Amino acid sequence: MVAGCYLWGALVAGYISLLVAVEEQEQKVPSLKHSLTTPLIKVEDDDALLTCVVKNQGNFTLMWKKAAKEKAGNKILTANMERITSDERLKIMHEDGGQVYVLVVRNVTIRDAGMYICELNSDPPLRSFHELKVLSATLQPPVPTESSVVTGATASTKDSVEVWGYSTERPVDHDFSPCCAARNISTVCQGFCKLKNILDGNTGVNPSDCEEEFPDIVSCMADGRNHMPCCVEAGIPEVCTDLCRGEYTVQTDNIKSMFSCSAYTAPTLACIAAGIETLPKQPQGFSAEALNDTSIRLHWLPPAKTDHLTQSYRVNVTYLQFLSPVFSVKVDTSKAKEIYPPNSALHGIPRGKTEFIINGLEKFSLYEVSMWAENKDGGKSLSTYDIKIVTHMEGDSGDPEPLESPTLPNIRSCCISNNVTHAKCVDKFCDPRNVASTQLTDLMICAPWDTEMFQCLADGKDHTPCCAAKRLPPLCQELCSGNVTDINFKYFRCLSYMNELSSCMLEGYGVLPSRPVNFRFSNLQTTFGILHWDKPDTLGDTVVDYVVKYQRITPDTGKTMSVEHAKSPFILENLDSASTYEVFVEPVNNIGTGEASTRIVFRTASRKIEDLLDSVNPYNQSSCCLKSGMKPECLPLCSYDANISEVKSLARLCADEFSKVVRCAAGGRDHLPCCARRGVPNNCQPLCQAVHQASTGADFLQCLPNIGQIITCYEEGTTKLPPPIKDFKAVSVQDGIVVLTWQVDDLNGTFNTAHFEVYYKLVEENSTGSTVFESDQQINTTVPIVKIPDLETGKKYRFFVVSRNLKGTSLPSSIVTVNVSSEAWNGTSISGASSPPHLLEVDSHSATWLQFAWNPPAITHPEDVLKYRLYYQQVSANLSKFDMVETDVTTVQLTGLTPNTQYALYSTALIVTKDTKIESTPSETLIAWTDPAFPAFVEAPTIHPINMVTEGSSMTVLCIAMGTPLPTVTLYINGHPLRSEITRHMVTMVHNVTSDMGHVSCYADNGYGTPMIASRKITISRAPTLSAPASTTVMKDDVLVLQCKVDAFPAPTMAIFRDSELKQSMMSDDRISITARGDEEDMATFYLSMEIAKVNQSDGQTYYCHANNTLGANSAPMLVNVTDQPLPVMNVTQCCLQQNVSADCLDICAFSIDFDMMIRKPQCIPQFSLMMSCASDGSDHRHCCSTGGVPSNCLDWCRGEAVEESEVCALSHSKTIVGCFHQGKENLPGKPTNIKVRPIDKNSAMVFWDLPDKNPHSVELYRVFWRPVGAKGANKSDTVQRKLVLHELHSGTTYEVVVKAGNSNGTSQLTQPLKFITADEFIIATSPVRSNVGGAVGIVLAVFIVLGLVVVVIYVMKKKNLIVLSVKKPDSPSVAFENPFYAVRDPASTAQAVSAEDYNVHISSSGSWQSEMSGTPSDRSSASSSPHSPDKNESTEMNPSMYEQISLGVNGQGFKRFK
């Protein structure tokens, strides 16, 4: 039996050992499974952080790589902490010994997009993949790949150039800078005017800065050549071919302009690079003129420098409509096009021609003509602009060739003969055609010849009537008469009328044509009309062409527009409907512009009602969104003209509404053919069929770069495609027969629905929702009812219906699932349901919860209100019933689950109406496990920059935690929570770092096990700040001690100077000793001390303490006053009276404490404690006394308290104690005053007080003690504010509270205890005045000079006396600094309990606070101010033992803690 037990125990032990070994082995295996691999989407110029987590890295190297084409191989970016790539924007964030490697890519560009690989070179290698997507709406300056660089060859020598993988047949040297200059492209943007600059990325400017000029730049880039065939062959979608046509679409905030073509930039530029050398340019100067009623003449110029590429020209002539020859009759455009529809004809013209006449046209009809050039291979230029032209009325013809214009008078000879000698004046004022361009300087230079010039210019005629008709001012009309005597500054205003003056002069010469006659209008339409006129009666044969000028008058006044080179009949187009215009025409000959015609005011026709209806989308998208139950705040998304800014701002709020947005935008139509034509990527094409699949990438936000193409297809499709059916149901089910009916949404025939297509399929037992679009059979019908026979009885069938017209089809709106059996049918209609949710998956998981997500139904009506149900149960429970949760969104979190347990789940969709809920068939079934539970673990925070965090700068803190469930990670700075997040890796940027942010902690808790906190102490680098006594008074022949405190990091260089210019430094000698030391606990605190023995009058001056480090410098003045007489002191007699000192001893108090008098009156020694209480002046001088050698049994006198051995203390140590009283006069604070308590509630109260009367500005900290009256323990809390909230008080309990003030030199005494009671109403009772507390403030001058301790004088750098501290901690106790405030730098108050045992004295219920506070525990503090039992091992501060006294006297450390 025993042997069996031993055997069984051995087996169990072996099994456990095996499990432990396996677990340890698994823990040693490297792993990357915790890396964050969710695709990261960034906008240009953002910073991207890719996180890779490697467990058990060992000695393996972790590399970040950038995926590239196979022929190039993956590019290594980093190895461990080392950056391999030359790109300085990349860096690694990693803590030595940590598990996280964060690849930081600063200021990302389009080129940074792609797949990044985190790879561990283990065997086999481990990899995690991190996709970075970069969004941009602008043209990017491309950079050639490494493969495009060919050693030993330049772009001009190669036969072909690879443009990012696209090979061109010619060198890429297309320089279109002259074209850019002609179009006034700014100098800064002309870097884009060389194709090679774009390919090399050497444009020198950010593309966004030049986007406004891109339309002109791209037009010049295409250079008038048609690159479309190459672009189409390269697979560039239509929406991205604008560059191939020399156009650029400026993307706006409108969602329809949001499309991504960056992926096609490479093939586009490759096509342009290839086409520049082979394709002809478009003809230049293209014009058209009607010759007669059936012919027009075209004229053009061959393209400069590239005419050799032109093989022939093609002219396209398009007949638009005939016009009415009756001026008062308007042609109905729609009927005219029905009678004689538009048609086009092409004409080929050989190279070398510049003119072509087209005959055989319709009389008085409207045509549109354009032309382009072709090469021998069929390559084309871009087409010229389209010109609309009207043939003449029957029998009319164009004007003959113009005759020569009349000769102008010889004004120039007249001026010369009248002694106008200035050549410029002859050119400007002696030619009437140049007068219009006269400038102010011309008028001033030529003023001496004003009479002669204007007399010759008038040519003996008075042109004043013409000038008056042109509304010249009376003064300026004198210039028109030719009688000018003197031109002065008053005539300067006439410069703006010189054009009218020139016109009047020419008109007076009789060389300009008169006004055109018979000016009239015909065929007035909504946007155009035909102008007619006849040539002028006077000099009409000299007219070269005409200028038509028009202006809109109503509904608002527009600018005057001019059209030059017009011929009658002339089509005036691009007018606004229902608007009033004024128009006239002016003749032009070789001399100038003649008289204007009469003015015609006309009004364009209004658009017909049917035309207005055609421009409005018949589909109401907003109504659909409202009916589908969309949130009102998300309705701005329900528009084809939504703004990108609105989409981004509402993305988080409306994340669950985008499936409704997609359904209603699609409107139940099938837009897939349009999307394919417009180049929508395959992963986004499900959106074109209203299938919103976030899990596969067919998500509105993920497809945002291509959403413009999709929305455009939506908008076009909802105007052309038929709507979906409604109310689909089976109204009769018999054996083998089903009758289906539905409602039609196109009753008025708006969409010309041709027929309905009914699809159906036999449902197999194991079919799932993924096959909803599959069908076996189809029946077409033109009516909304169909009878389907020949079905298998007792089998289940699924049916859906789509509408069709000539443009395409609708989407199915619901599915009817029927068991084709009379026995199974209950006689009621079977309504159609949506298809089931699909692609159910675990979105995230933990030990106690599972997050599931699914995609909405693929088949549903866009107006359906949908809800979802998720059914689940434990697999191990083996239950027949599933638990269920219902939700409005496509995700749900199941909470309260059991760790490490398997669950089975499926989901359904519900169509919700007022009365019913129609549930779909179930989705696929999913099996999911909850995680095992592991307690939270957190690493010490990683801080960057590692070497130096400067005050005022920023630092990045990385908290890394593990655990299941996912822990809540909290970042603490100096004990204050800064940020919390449920995550494994939390990166926080802390801005404006302050010097007190020295304690950084990461806290993690997941509800399992003990929460964990890991901390790191840092020292903030900062420039020096100094604290020094502003004024010190010392008696002659005494010892002067000056100490300067410096706060700085790195360690500063410190010195003391005699002058403010810091030129005369103090040096150590036989009388002067200068020492420096650093604080042993605070690496940023340093002290510089100067001691001068036997002070004389020459030592009285201002000294300057100076410190500097790499971050700055600072100085502090220290004034020293040397006096021959003792300092005046206050008479403490009043205080002694209050302390009941006997009358015969009061004279000892008359001059502070007169020791000589006390020696002569030994009977006063027992009352010396009362006198010392007055002399202590409310401060606690024990720190000074202990360093001066006062034993522990006498230390209470140093704070004004009685001692047991008063005689011994008075005789042996009174001089030292009174010396400390003297020393503490300037640097120790007095007791806080006016302590009060204010109620908050029955369990808390606020205690507050005023500044001490003595040295109020020296207070650095307050300490508050409180306890229930009679308790043996007390609570304490430190604060920098003059108030403190006491929590967790017990109602009805009487408490007492005292306060003391302190600084780095020591503390004050405790205030008088204040009693209070917490209850529903607050009651305060003050304690009676104690008999041993002085009410007066005084300071005592030591009668005898206190014997100083012997210190070692350090001679460093005797000549310059500059003492540099280069170590963080002192190596010797001699430079230690007693800093009682180190642990309480944080402004937040800390509290801790103080037990009676810590005081080492007997405590009664009425015991004094002063005696009970004689010792305090260490400065470790709890987060709560409530009482608690102290740790038995907690360090306490008691009266020092004999050994401690010796130690204190040797090392000079004194009391380190604040009591």
mmCIF file of all heavy atoms in Angstrom, residues 603-621:
data_model
loop_
_atom_site.group_PDB
_atom_site.id
_atom_site.type_symbol
_atom_site.label_atom_id
_atom_site.label_comp_id
_atom_site.label_asym_id
_atom_site.label_seq_id
_atom_site.Cartn_x
_atom_site.Cartn_y
_atom_site.Cartn_z
ATOM 1 N N ARG A 603 -34.041 89.067 -73.538
ATOM 2 C CA ARG A 603 -34.136 88.169 -72.385
ATOM 3 C C ARG A 603 -34.154 86.731 -72.884
ATOM 4 O O ARG A 603 -34.947 86.387 -73.769
ATOM 5 C CB ARG A 603 -35.399 88.464 -71.562
ATOM 6 C CG ARG A 603 -35.525 87.595 -70.301
ATOM 7 C CD ARG A 603 -36.720 88.013 -69.449
ATOM 8 N NE ARG A 603 -36.862 87.165 -68.264
ATOM 9 C CZ ARG A 603 -36.213 87.336 -67.128
ATOM 10 N NH1 ARG A 603 -35.355 88.339 -67.039
ATOM 11 N NH2 ARG A 603 -36.389 86.533 -66.096
ATOM 12 N N THR A 604 -33.267 85.898 -72.321
ATOM 13 C CA THR A 604 -33.222 84.496 -72.715
ATOM 14 C C THR A 604 -34.447 83.771 -72.166
ATOM 15 O O THR A 604 -35.052 84.180 -71.174
ATOM 16 C CB THR A 604 -31.945 83.827 -72.177
ATOM 17 O OG1 THR A 604 -31.864 84.028 -70.779
ATOM 18 C CG2 THR A 604 -30.709 84.411 -72.838
ATOM 19 N N ALA A 605 -34.772 82.681 -72.826
ATOM 20 C CA ALA A 605 -35.965 81.926 -72.442
ATOM 21 C C ALA A 605 -35.721 81.176 -71.141
ATOM 22 O O ALA A 605 -34.594 80.825 -70.785
ATOM 23 C CB ALA A 605 -36.336 80.944 -73.550
ATOM 24 N N SER A 606 -36.804 80.924 -70.412
ATOM 25 C CA SER A 606 -36.737 80.116 -69.205
ATOM 26 C C SER A 606 -36.715 78.641 -69.579
ATOM 27 O O SER A 606 -37.249 78.245 -70.624
ATOM 28 C CB SER A 606 -37.942 80.392 -68.292
ATOM 29 O OG SER A 606 -37.970 81.742 -67.912
ATOM 30 N N ARG A 607 -36.118 77.860 -68.712
ATOM 31 C CA ARG A 607 -36.093 76.434 -68.966
ATOM 32 C C ARG A 607 -37.473 75.837 -68.754
ATOM 33 O O ARG A 607 -38.229 76.255 -67.879
ATOM 34 C CB ARG A 607 -35.096 75.764 -68.018
ATOM 35 C CG ARG A 607 -33.678 76.252 -68.198
ATOM 36 C CD ARG A 607 -32.747 75.664 -67.179
ATOM 37 N NE ARG A 607 -32.637 74.209 -67.349
ATOM 38 C CZ ARG A 607 -31.947 73.432 -66.518
ATOM 39 N NH1 ARG A 607 -31.345 73.958 -65.475
ATOM 40 N NH2 ARG A 607 -31.886 72.131 -66.723
ATOM 41 N N LYS A 608 -37.782 74.881 -69.542
ATOM 42 C CA LYS A 608 -39.083 74.229 -69.432
ATOM 43 C C LYS A 608 -39.144 73.388 -68.150
ATOM 44 O O LYS A 608 -38.139 73.000 -67.582
ATOM 45 C CB LYS A 608 -39.331 73.317 -70.645
ATOM 46 C CG LYS A 608 -39.439 74.075 -71.958
ATOM 47 C CD LYS A 608 -39.716 73.109 -73.094
ATOM 48 C CE LYS A 608 -39.842 73.846 -74.424
ATOM 49 N NZ LYS A 608 -40.091 72.921 -75.538
ATOM 50 N N ILE A 609 -40.364 73.150 -67.724
ATOM 51 C CA ILE A 609 -40.567 72.379 -66.498
ATOM 52 C C ILE A 609 -39.934 70.996 -66.630
ATOM 53 O O ILE A 609 -39.269 70.499 -65.719
ATOM 54 C CB ILE A 609 -42.071 72.259 -66.173
ATOM 55 C CG1 ILE A 609 -42.621 73.645 -65.859
ATOM 56 C CG2 ILE A 609 -42.289 71.307 -65.012
ATOM 57 C CD1 ILE A 609 -44.105 73.656 -65.573
ATOM 58 N N GLU A 610 -40.085 70.390 -67.791
ATOM 59 C CA GLU A 610 -39.516 69.057 -67.951
ATOM 60 C C GLU A 610 -37.990 69.097 -67.938
ATOM 61 O O GLU A 610 -37.325 68.165 -67.486
ATOM 62 C CB GLU A 610 -40.013 68.398 -69.246
ATOM 63 C CG GLU A 610 -39.783 69.228 -70.515
ATOM 64 C CD GLU A 610 -40.993 70.106 -70.837
ATOM 65 O OE1 GLU A 610 -41.751 70.430 -69.903
ATOM 66 O OE2 GLU A 610 -41.174 70.441 -72.018
ATOM 67 N N ASP A 611 -37.416 70.213 -68.426
ATOM 68 C CA ASP A 611 -35.960 70.342 -68.361
ATOM 69 C C ASP A 611 -35.489 70.465 -66.918
ATOM 70 O O ASP A 611 -34.467 69.904 -66.513
ATOM 71 C CB ASP A 611 -35.495 71.563 -69.157
ATOM 72 C CG ASP A 611 -35.746 71.385 -70.659
ATOM 73 O OD1 ASP A 611 -35.822 70.229 -71.098
ATOM 74 O OD2 ASP A 611 -35.871 72.396 -71.364
ATOM 75 N N LEU A 612 -36.257 71.246 -66.128
ATOM 76 C CA LEU A 612 -35.911 71.387 -64.712
ATOM 77 C C LEU A 612 -36.019 70.053 -63.993
ATOM 78 O O LEU A 612 -35.200 69.709 -63.146
ATOM 79 C CB LEU A 612 -36.823 72.420 -64.052
ATOM 80 C CG LEU A 612 -36.644 73.870 -64.533
ATOM 81 C CD1 LEU A 612 -37.712 74.751 -63.918
ATOM 82 C CD2 LEU A 612 -35.255 74.391 -64.193
ATOM 83 N N LEU A 613 -37.052 69.292 -64.335
ATOM 84 C CA LEU A 613 -37.222 67.985 -63.705
ATOM 85 C C LEU A 613 -36.092 67.049 -64.076
ATOM 86 O O LEU A 613 -35.632 66.245 -63.272
ATOM 87 C CB LEU A 613 -38.569 67.374 -64.101
ATOM 88 C CG LEU A 613 -39.809 68.066 -63.531
ATOM 89 C CD1 LEU A 613 -41.073 67.426 -64.086
ATOM 90 C CD2 LEU A 613 -39.826 68.022 -62.002
ATOM 91 N N ASP A 614 -35.611 67.179 -65.322
ATOM 92 C CA ASP A 614 -34.522 66.309 -65.744
ATOM 93 C C ASP A 614 -33.247 66.577 -64.953
ATOM 94 O O ASP A 614 -32.411 65.685 -64.761
ATOM 95 C CB ASP A 614 -34.235 66.510 -67.237
ATOM 96 C CG ASP A 614 -35.350 65.919 -68.098
ATOM 97 O OD1 ASP A 614 -36.111 65.083 -67.571
ATOM 98 O OD2 ASP A 614 -35.450 66.304 -69.268
ATOM 99 N N SER A 615 -33.069 67.809 -64.468
ATOM 100 C CA SER A 615 -31.852 68.158 -63.753
ATOM 101 C C SER A 615 -31.909 67.773 -62.288
ATOM 102 O O SER A 615 -30.918 67.889 -61.578
ATOM 103 C CB SER A 615 -31.577 69.665 -63.860
ATOM 104 O OG SER A 615 -32.604 70.398 -63.213
ATOM 105 N N VAL A 616 -33.060 67.362 -61.793
ATOM 106 C CA VAL A 616 -33.221 66.975 -60.395
ATOM 107 C C VAL A 616 -33.255 65.460 -60.302
ATOM 108 O O VAL A 616 -33.976 64.793 -61.047
ATOM 109 C CB VAL A 616 -34.512 67.585 -59.806
ATOM 110 C CG1 VAL A 616 -34.678 67.123 -58.361
ATOM 111 C CG2 VAL A 616 -34.459 69.096 -59.876
ATOM 112 N N ASN A 617 -32.458 64.902 -59.399
ATOM 113 C CA ASN A 617 -32.433 63.459 -59.226
ATOM 114 C C ASN A 617 -33.786 62.999 -58.675
ATOM 115 O O ASN A 617 -34.229 63.485 -57.630
ATOM 116 C CB ASN A 617 -31.319 63.075 -58.250
ATOM 117 C CG ASN A 617 -31.024 61.592 -58.276
ATOM 118 O OD1 ASN A 617 -31.915 60.769 -58.417
ATOM 119 N ND2 ASN A 617 -29.746 61.252 -58.131
ATOM 120 N N PRO A 618 -34.470 62.087 -59.379
ATOM 121 C CA PRO A 618 -35.782 61.650 -58.891
ATOM 122 C C PRO A 618 -35.715 60.813 -57.623
ATOM 123 O O PRO A 618 -36.742 60.561 -57.003
ATOM 124 C CB PRO A 618 -36.314 60.819 -60.067
ATOM 125 C CG PRO A 618 -35.093 60.343 -60.775
ATOM 126 C CD PRO A 618 -34.085 61.437 -60.638
ATOM 127 N N TYR A 619 -34.528 60.416 -57.227
ATOM 128 C CA TYR A 619 -34.376 59.582 -56.037
ATOM 129 C C TYR A 619 -34.062 60.460 -54.834
ATOM 130 O O TYR A 619 -33.179 61.317 -54.891
ATOM 131 C CB TYR A 619 -33.266 58.552 -56.254
ATOM 132 C CG TYR A 619 -32.918 57.746 -55.026
ATOM 133 C CD1 TYR A 619 -33.828 56.856 -54.474
ATOM 134 C CD2 TYR A 619 -31.676 57.894 -54.413
ATOM 135 C CE1 TYR A 619 -33.509 56.122 -53.343
ATOM 136 C CE2 TYR A 619 -31.348 57.159 -53.290
ATOM 137 C CZ TYR A 619 -32.275 56.277 -52.756
ATOM 138 O OH TYR A 619 -31.962 55.560 -51.644
ATOM 139 N N ASN A 620 -34.753 60.231 -53.725
ATOM 140 C CA ASN A 620 -34.576 61.032 -52.515
ATOM 141 C C ASN A 620 -33.735 60.242 -51.519
ATOM 142 O O ASN A 620 -34.240 59.385 -50.792
ATOM 143 C CB ASN A 620 -35.932 61.397 -51.905
ATOM 144 C CG ASN A 620 -35.809 62.443 -50.816
ATOM 145 O OD1 ASN A 620 -34.778 62.558 -50.169
ATOM 146 N ND2 ASN A 620 -36.871 63.206 -50.615
ATOM 147 N N GLN A 621 -32.453 60.546 -51.488
ATOM 148 C CA GLN A 621 -31.537 59.812 -50.610
ATOM 149 C C GLN A 621 -31.796 60.123 -49.138
ATOM 150 O O GLN A 621 -31.768 59.222 -48.297
ATOM 151 C CB GLN A 621 -30.090 60.167 -50.970
ATOM 152 C CG GLN A 621 -29.048 59.411 -50.176
ATOM 153 C CD GLN A 621 -27.640 59.873 -50.494
ATOM 154 O OE1 GLN A 621 -27.450 60.797 -51.281
ATOM 155 N NE2 GLN A 621 -26.650 59.247 -49.900
#
